């Protein structure tokens, strides 16, 4: 029986009466809670502000704060915090109690609209890319009314943005909200060609979170896992994923107990997790929610990553969200399924019932293709990091080249439209029936596309699946770029279509003409083949797609002329904000590699070399004893040990030499004052040395006595017992 004893209300799931719908969202100040705790006038005004994206005044904020406080106290909260997502990639919070002096020597519980709407965290202590000096600490967090407050561990958490004293954003939520507003405005204008009643277009997101679980005791015995999130050394296990028996296999009972506990916690927090299964690698799993509006979905993913760690420890597990915690097995991603829909229920990436519906579908799909083509380098940079660099380009993850998969049906329509405008759009179907000819099996409904797991940006029926996002990433980084790029492209499209109509063309003809033009211009981004192949890499270069593989160099795309224009035109980020964010990206890349290099050097010299030396000494002692016992006959007997002694000596020499060289390269890189140059130096000179050190340590692991080896091995880490 799973019980959440740490919360005010214990939830058990061993009886039919405790269904998820009985406790779903009970720790969220959602519309049901608002309706119960707010005056009707306040409730109506707040809902109107949320739905129509209006600011609220202080009087309304005071009324909301009073109701939110009463709800939070009734549900066991003792503190409140502004919960935001700084440029660290995680979340941040500072807790304050609901108390003020009562003037009589005591305290009363109070929470004002002023405290709800705005607070002042220390802006100098978060990454800011030089926007704030250390002695300039002022920054502001401000309430995001569109994302509901929630209670986490007896603390009322209020989702907020985070900006500097001078107004620049220092977080991910601010530019995400700006990008969502931009795509709403641009997409609504185009959607009205097909339905004049459309008032808003909403961006939706469904993330798929992959992760590893390891036993906490084994995790604690691996300093590299503790400090970097990945194994910096370790020879592959004789058995890993080669039998393909783990994917969708039976979930181990210990893991199932963890998953159930996590699901209960998520459902109480309003996170609509729905799917769970074994992933490809041993000890690798995935969970996915029902799709939500992008801003809310992103908040829920950030909250999930925090909750996962806490729940895992209660089950004697540790969650690994690093994109590549184990070399040689499948890495972890966070597939972002992204779509657009109108406030009138139309999915803009789904075929419809009429040719006009399908023209709308083709229009939006082709505009996405054009946006991804124009900004393919920037889109790749949006998901790149020191950790995701291990995953991209490997044959178990999307390649480091952005392309779009459409599937055969849509590809045929696009080819026909490119040649002429007489394509039969009535042939587009959402699904088609397929019969196996077996009476026991009903007809199967086939989607209008197959899947291409090698495509980083695949059309999958009514959405695009951005498969290249890393498992530890803040989804907002990718969603900011995608929504902004599509908003810019749709604005270009609207301007071009209106110009054709003003010149006398019929609206349908004008739309088709621009669609055909975009199909031709963005043809290079369309690729339905094997994205892992070497042939594709060469073909991509010929097509003019970005093929850069160095993470620090990829970040340059944020400061290209086209990117600066994109962000400024859509109002998402100013050039100073972009420059600051790049400084942060380069700095974080450097620091992560620096920490890994320090940990690896320490483990190599203080853990591996001493053990290898002791084992080598044992072998030397054995050879001496053999010779004393058997004389000349001992040479044949001792040859195996002699070969091992020599091999160990060579490996240890390689390790010591390379560690010294790596330290020297770090020192040279650290002396650089330019963050970009420093990051490139770490990428070009420190990372290759780390790979050499690892290679030699992994060879030693196969030679040294298993009982002497100081670290848990892959065969122990990767199989839950």
């Amino acid at each position: 029986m799973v019980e959440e004893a740490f919360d005010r209300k214990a939830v058990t799931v061993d009886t039919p009466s405790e269904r998820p719908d009985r406790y779903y969202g009970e720790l969220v100040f959602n519309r049901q809670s608002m309706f119960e705790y707010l005056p009707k006038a306040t409730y109506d005004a707040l809902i109107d502000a949320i739905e129509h994206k209006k600011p609220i005044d202080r009087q309304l904020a005071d009324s909301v704060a009073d109701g939110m406080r009463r709800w939070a106290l009734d549900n066991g909260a003792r503190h409140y915090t502004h919960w935001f997502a700084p440029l660290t990639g995680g979340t941040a919070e500072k807790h304050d109690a609901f108390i003020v002096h009562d003037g009589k020597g005591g305290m009363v519980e109070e929470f004002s609209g002023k405290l709800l709407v705005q607070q002042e965290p220390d802006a100098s202590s978060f990454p800011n890319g030089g926007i704030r000096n250390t002695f300039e600490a002022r920054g502001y967090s401000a309430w995001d009314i569109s994302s509901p407050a929630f209670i986490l561990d007896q603390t009322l958490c209020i989702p907020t943005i985070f900006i500097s004293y001078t107004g620049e954003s220092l977080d991910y939520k601010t530019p995400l909200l700006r990008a969502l507003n931009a795509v709403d405005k641009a997409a609504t204008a185009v959607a009205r060609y097909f339905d004049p009643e459309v008032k808003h277009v909403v961006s939706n997101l469904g993330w798929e979170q992959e992760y590893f679980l390891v036993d906490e005791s084994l995790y604690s015995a691996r300093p590299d896992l503790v400090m970097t999130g990945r194994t910096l050394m370790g020879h592959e296990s004789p058995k890993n994923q080669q039998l393909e028996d783990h994917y969708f296999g039976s979930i181990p009972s210990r893991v199932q107990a963890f998953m159930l506990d996590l699901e209960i916690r998520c459902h109480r927090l309003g996170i609509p997790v729905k799917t769970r299964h074994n992933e490809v690698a041993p000890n690798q799993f995935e969970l996915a929610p029902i799709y939500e509006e992008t801003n809310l979905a992103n908040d829920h993913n950030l909250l999930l990553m925090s909750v996962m760690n806490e729940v895992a420890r209660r089950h004697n597990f540790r969650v690994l969200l690093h994109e590549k915690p184990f070399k040689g097995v499948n890495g972890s991603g966070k597939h972002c399924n992204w779509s657009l829909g109108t406030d009138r229920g139309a999915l803009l990436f789904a075929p419809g019932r009429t040719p006009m519906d399908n023209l709308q579908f083709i229009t939006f799909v082709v505009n996405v293709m054009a946006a991804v083509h124009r900004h393919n380098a920037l889109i790749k940079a949006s998901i790149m990091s020191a950790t995701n660099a291990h995953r991209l380009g490997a044959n178990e993850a999307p390649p480091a080249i952005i392309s779009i998969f459409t599937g055969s049906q849509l590809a045929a329509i696009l080819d026909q439209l490119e040649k002429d405008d007489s394509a039969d759009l009535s042939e587009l179907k959402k699904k088609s029936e397929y019969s196996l000819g077996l009476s026991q099996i009903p007809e199967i409904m086939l989607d209008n596309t197959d899947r291409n797991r090698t495509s980083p940006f695949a059309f999958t029926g009514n959405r695009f699946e951005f498969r290249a996002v890393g498992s530890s990433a803040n989804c907002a980084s990718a969603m900011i770029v995608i929504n902004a790029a599509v908003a810019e492209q749709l604005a270009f499209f609207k301007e071009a279509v209106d110009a054709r109509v003003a010149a006398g063309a019929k609206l349908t003809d004008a739309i088709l003409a621009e669609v055909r033009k975009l199909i031709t211009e963005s043809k290079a981004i369309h690729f339905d083949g094997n994205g892992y192949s070497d042939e594709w890499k060469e073909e991509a270069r010929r097509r003019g797609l970005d093929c850069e593989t160095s993470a620090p160099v990829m970040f340059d795309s944020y400061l290209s002329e086209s990117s600066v224009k994109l962000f400024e035109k859509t109002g998402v980020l100013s050039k100073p904000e972009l420059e600051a964010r790049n400084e942060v990206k380069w700095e974080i890349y450097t620091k992560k590699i620096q920490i890994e290099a320090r940990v690896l050097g320490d483990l190599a010299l203080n853990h591996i070399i001493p053990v290898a030396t002791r084992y080598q000494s044992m072998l030397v002692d054995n050879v001496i004893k053999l010779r004393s016992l058997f004389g000349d006959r001992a040479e044949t007997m001792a040859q195996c040990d002699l070969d091992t002694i020599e091999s160990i000596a060579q490996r240890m020499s390689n390790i010591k030499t390379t560690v010294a060289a790596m330290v020297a390269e770090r020192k040279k890189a650290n002396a650089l004052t330019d963050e970009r140059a420093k990051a490139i130096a770490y990428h070009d000179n420190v990372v290759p040395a780390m790979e050499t050190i690892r290679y030699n340590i992994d060879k030693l692991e196969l030679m040294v006595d298993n009982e002497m080896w100081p670290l848990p091995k892959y065969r122990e880490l990767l199989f839950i017992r």
Side-chain angles (χ1 to χ4, degrees):
M1 183 175 70
V2 178
E3 182 168 329
E4 294 203 314
F6 52 84
D7 280 322
R8 187 179 64 85
K9 300 176 182 177
V11 177
T12 61
V13 294
D14 62 339
T15 61
S17 62
E18 294 298 344
R19 303 181 321 215
D21 61 330
R22 301 288 176 84
Y23 53 82
Y24 186 85
E26 68 179 5
L27 296 178
V28 182
F29 195 59
N30 52 26
R31 295 194 181 193
Q32 181 178 341
S33 300
M34 291 177 191
F35 187 79
E36 181 181 351
Y37 281 85
L38 299 180
K40 186 177 186 307
T42 300
Y43 173 82
D44 291 341
L46 180 59
I47 297 302
D48 183 64
I50 292 171
E51 291 183 347
H52 297 96
K53 302 179 181 179
K54 298 177 180 177
I56 64 173
D57 58 34
R58 282 302 171 92
Q59 184 177 356
L60 179 60
D62 283 335
S63 183
V64 173
D66 180 67
M68 190 182 291
R69 174 188 59 81
R70 289 185 291 107
W71 170 80
L73 294 174
D74 285 349
N75 283 275
R78 299 175 61 87
H79 293 77
Y80 65 90
T81 182
H82 275 199
W83 185 80
F84 57 96
L87 299 179
T88 57
T91 57
E93 53 198 66
K94 179 190 69 162
H95 299 185
D96 287 298
F98 289 105
I99 58 171
V100 294
H101 286 292
D102 65 358
K104 302 173 185 177
M107 292 287 183
V108 293
E109 291 170 324
E110 190 175 286
F111 186 51
S112 67
K114 179 181 179 181
L115 295 175
L116 168 63
V117 169
Q118 180 178 312
Q119 283 194 330
E120 186 187 329
D122 184 346
S124 68
S125 298
F126 291 103
N128 60 65
I131 286 178
R132 307 296 291 149
N133 293 313
T134 302
F135 59 86
E136 295 174 317
R138 196 181 297 276
Y140 299 107
S141 55
W143 179 31
D144 171 16
I145 65 172
S146 65
S147 186
F150 56 90
I151 296 172
L152 184 65
D153 299 332
Q154 298 183 312
T155 299
L156 172 66
C157 298
I158 303 157
T160 63
I161 64 169
F162 182 43
I163 61 173
S164 73
Y165 178 69
T166 46
E168 296 91 353
S169 67
L170 297 175
D171 66 341
Y172 283 99
K173 182 183 276 284
T174 303
L176 176 62
L177 291 174
R178 292 170 180 166
L180 296 177
N181 285 337
V183 81
D184 176 10
K185 179 181 177 182
T188 297
V190 174
R192 283 176 179 162
Y193 286 146
F194 308 94
D195 181 358
E197 299 301 314
V198 171
K199 293 184 176 63
H200 288 290
V201 168
V202 177
S203 170
N204 296 306
L205 170 64
W207 39 263
E208 302 169 31
Q209 180 70 60
E210 295 176 343
Y211 62 96
F212 281 85
L213 289 176
V214 295
D215 281 308
E216 185 161 29
S217 58
L218 297 176
Y219 170 89
S220 299
R222 291 284 310 219
D224 49 353
L225 272 180
V226 172
M227 287 185 275
T228 72
R230 76 179 182 104
T231 53
L232 300 176
M233 61 191 72
H235 198 279
E236 66 178 285
S237 170
K239 179 185 183 299
N240 46 55
Q241 66 189 48
Q242 66 265 50
L243 292 178
E244 300 173 332
D245 55 344
H246 191 258
Y247 190 55
F248 278 25
S250 177
I251 300 172
S253 57
R254 281 185 63 200
V255 176
Q256 213 166 108
F258 156 76
M259 288 178 168
L260 181 58
D261 199 356
L262 178 62
E263 286 171 357
I264 293 170
R265 192 80 191 278
C266 285
H267 289 160
R268 298 185 71 201
L269 288 165
I271 306 173
V273 293
K274 181 179 178 68
T275 302
R276 65 187 189 190
H277 63 82
N278 286 4
E279 254 300 333
V280 172
N283 280 21
Q284 189 185 32
F285 308 95
E286 179 182 296
L287 81 162
I290 300 169
Y291 291 21
E292 300 178 284
E293 184 275 327
T294 296
N295 178 47
L296 179 59
N298 190 62
D299 280 354
H300 278 164
N301 183 250
L302 291 170
L303 178 57
L304 169 89
M305 291 192 287
S306 175
V307 171
M308 284 178 79
N309 285 303
E310 178 190 331
V311 174
R313 297 193 70 174
R314 296 217 307 263
H315 292 264
N316 298 315
F317 285 131
R318 283 299 185 115
V319 170
L320 303 182
L321 292 174
H322 193 288
E323 283 74 8
K324 198 74 171 176
F326 301 104
K327 187 175 182 180
V329 299
N330 193 58
S332 294
K334 179 149 48 194
H335 305 166
C336 286
N337 295 277
W338 169 77
S339 64
L340 296 175
T342 72
D343 58 342
R344 287 171 56 80
L347 294 175
L348 297 177
F349 300 145
R353 296 180 179 179
T354 68
M356 202 62 182
D357 288 341
N358 287 332
L359 178 57
Q360 175 178 261
F361 158 68
I362 289 291
T363 295
F364 277 91
V365 167
V366 169
N367 272 280
V368 171
M369 293 177 69
V372 173
H373 178 244
R374 178 181 291 109
H375 296 291
N376 72 96
L378 175 63
I379 289 170
K380 183 169 68 176
S382 75
I383 51 87
M384 183 47 68
S385 65
T387 53
N388 207 22
H390 294 283
R391 174 174 166 264
L392 294 186
N395 282 354
E396 41 77 20
I401 301 168
I402 299 298
S403 64
I404 288 181
F405 165 83
T406 64
S408 57
Q409 185 189 26
L410 180 54
I413 294 290
L414 294 177
D415 287 343
Q416 191 176 345
L417 274 173
E418 185 183 12
K419 295 178 185 128
D420 59 66
D421 58 7
S422 61
D424 186 1
L425 296 180
S426 65
E427 290 300 309
L428 277 170
K429 299 176 182 177
K430 292 183 179 179
K431 290 179 184 278
S432 58
E433 294 181 355
Y434 179 75
S435 175
L436 293 174
L438 299 172
S439 60
Q440 305 95 320
I441 306 297
E443 291 181 331
I444 297 172
M445 298 300 293
L446 299 179
D447 288 293
N448 59 14
T449 72
D450 198 352
R451 296 286 296 275
N452 186 329
R453 305 190 72 82
T454 73
S455 175
F457 203 89
F459 175 68
T460 55
N462 58 11
R463 63 194 182 276
F464 286 90
E465 183 181 17
F466 195 11
R467 295 174 53 81
V469 181
S471 54
S472 66
N474 185 327
C475 301
S477 181
M479 290 297 102
I480 289 165
V481 172
I482 293 296
N483 285 285
V486 171
E488 178 196 51
Q489 173 54 41
L490 288 170
F492 289 152
F493 180 81
K494 174 79 164 52
E495 184 179 352
V497 169
D498 288 351
R500 288 180 183 271
V501 171
K506 292 181 179 179
L507 177 60
T508 302
D509 293 340
I511 292 172
L512 279 169
E514 282 304 311
V515 164
R516 291 178 63 195
K517 180 169 174 273
L518 292 179
I519 292 172
T520 302
E521 291 176 353
S522 61
K523 203 166 185 178
I525 204 70
H526 181 195
F527 179 66
D528 285 358
N530 181 5
Y532 296 160
S533 68
D534 291 334
E535 292 80 6
W536 166 235
K537 294 174 185 176
E538 293 304 316
E539 173 64 20
R541 280 193 189 87
R542 286 194 293 271
R543 293 187 184 191
L545 301 181
D546 186 272
C547 298
E548 181 60 59
T549 58
S550 167
V553 176
M554 286 184 199
F555 298 148
D556 290 346
S557 299
Y558 273 95
L559 298 177
S560 69
E561 183 179 355
S562 62
S563 296
V564 173
K565 285 182 179 178
L566 159 69
F567 288 118
E568 289 186 336
K569 181 176 180 179
T570 55
V572 173
L573 289 164
S574 66
K575 188 173 182 181
E577 286 175 316
L578 287 169
E579 291 170 340
R581 282 164 189 268
N582 260 29
E583 288 290 304
V584 171
K585 288 178 182 293
W586 285 315
E587 184 180 3
I588 289 177
Y589 179 89
T590 295
K591 288 178 177 178
K592 288 197 172 184
I593 302 300
Q594 183 183 73
I595 291 169
E596 288 187 351
R598 286 174 172 173
V599 172
L600 180 60
D602 173 58
L603 290 176
L605 298 181
N606 296 315
H607 288 65
I608 305 303
I609 294 295
V611 168
T613 301
R614 284 202 301 274
Y615 182 63
Q616 185 185 50
S617 297
M618 289 171 59
L619 294 179
V620 170
D621 185 56
N622 189 51
V623 169
I624 292 171
K625 289 177 180 177
L626 285 172
R627 284 173 173 168
S628 67
L629 280 173
F630 298 103
D632 293 340
R633 290 182 296 156
E635 293 309 309
T636 302
M637 302 176 189
Q639 191 57 51
C640 181
D641 282 351
L642 288 170
D643 290 343
T644 303
I645 291 167
E646 182 179 359
S647 185
I648 289 174
Q650 186 60 56
R651 297 296 175 194
M652 289 196 296
S653 175
N654 291 346
I655 291 169
K656 290 178 181 178
T657 301
T658 312
V659 168
M662 179 182 70
V663 171
E665 291 295 342
R666 280 210 325 262
K667 290 180 178 179
K668 285 197 285 186
N670 292 341
L672 299 173
T673 56
D674 180 77
E675 290 295 345
R676 179 182 183 275
K678 188 183 297 185
I680 291 174
Y682 265 88
H683 175 275
D684 293 350
N685 303 322
V686 177
V687 171
M690 292 173 62
E691 289 300 315
T692 300
I693 295 166
R694 177 178 190 142
Y695 175 79
N696 283 279
I697 291 176
D698 290 354
K699 291 298 183 183
L700 280 179
E701 184 181 318
L702 298 178
M703 302 179 207
V704 174
D705 185 347
N706 181 68
E707 293 186 3
M708 296 178 65
W709 195 253
L711 304 173
K713 298 183 178 181
Y714 274 24
R715 66 169 182 262
E716 298 160 322
L717 290 165
L718 279 172
F719 296 92
I720 291 173
R721 294 166 181 82

